[in-house]
Amino acid sequence: MGGVTSGSKKDKGVFKDFVSWFEIPAVNFQQAVDFYNYIYGIEMEKNFDGNYAMAFFPASEGIGGAIVAGPGSTPSDTGPLIYLNGGKDLNLILKKVEKAGGRIIMPKTLINKESGYFAIFIDSEGNKLALHSKK
């Protein structure tokens, strides 16, 4: 596995966050928007430009992202795994996944005391994603 070798000094130029934006692909755009609006209890702002439809996760600061539908936006349960913020306790969001048309493939699981918990789910479009919370 990769990583920093012991004895290496931390580079002062390393980014604080290595993710700056994420997009979750959708075929059924409204179904995907409804799924995330429901599990998070939010209302996503939508934008259509003729080729693409996007719905933005409301974020006043930090990392933002969107649901996107259009050419090349193909849902998949393979490839990179995005960990979404699960809030204080990811179970509050996870318990809504199946009601919203998704399915849980790994329940809330302890990583370790310092790192917290994670869970993995398939969203309403067939994308594999994860949730993370400290408690």
Side-chain angles (χ1 to χ4, degrees), residues 60-112:
S60 58
E61 59 184 60
I63 299 165
I67 306 294
V68 63
S73 298
T74 306
S76 174
D77 64 355
T78 60
L81 182 60
I82 299 170
Y83 282 73
L84 300 174
N85 189 337
K88 291 182 181 181
D89 180 353
L90 64 83
N91 270 333
L92 299 175
I93 295 169
L94 192 63
K95 71 180 183 183
K96 298 178 184 178
V97 166
E98 290 178 344
K99 291 178 185 175
R103 72 187 157 92
I104 299 165
I105 59 174
M106 179 175 281
K108 182 176 178 179
T109 304
L110 178 66
I111 302 165
N112 60 48

Side-chain angles (χ1 to χ4, degrees), residues 1-104:
M1 297 228 302
V4 178
T5 59
S6 61
S8 294
K9 295 181 181 179
K10 285 191 173 184
D11 183 356
K12 299 288 186 210
V14 172
F15 297 107
K16 178 182 175 268
D17 297 309
F18 283 88
V19 174
S20 61
W21 179 259
F22 65 89
E23 293 181 353
I24 300 172
V27 173
N28 185 330
F29 178 71
Q30 191 58 53
Q31 176 176 280
V33 171
D34 291 345
F35 176 87
Y36 287 99
N37 279 343
Y38 178 76
I39 68 169
Y40 274 104
I42 59 174
E43 189 64 36
M44 301 176 91
E45 179 184 330
K46 296 183 260 183
N47 182 33
F48 304 92
D49 77 357
N51 290 319
Y52 290 93
M54 295 184 84
F56 303 96
F57 286 90
S60 58
E61 59 184 60
I63 299 165
I67 306 294
V68 63
S73 298
T74 306
S76 174
D77 64 355
T78 60
L81 182 60
I82 299 170
Y83 282 73
L84 300 174
N85 189 337
K88 291 182 181 181
D89 180 353
L90 64 83
N91 270 333
L92 299 175
I93 295 169
L94 192 63
K95 71 180 183 183
K96 298 178 184 178
V97 166
E98 290 178 344
K99 291 178 185 175
R103 72 187 157 92
I104 299 165

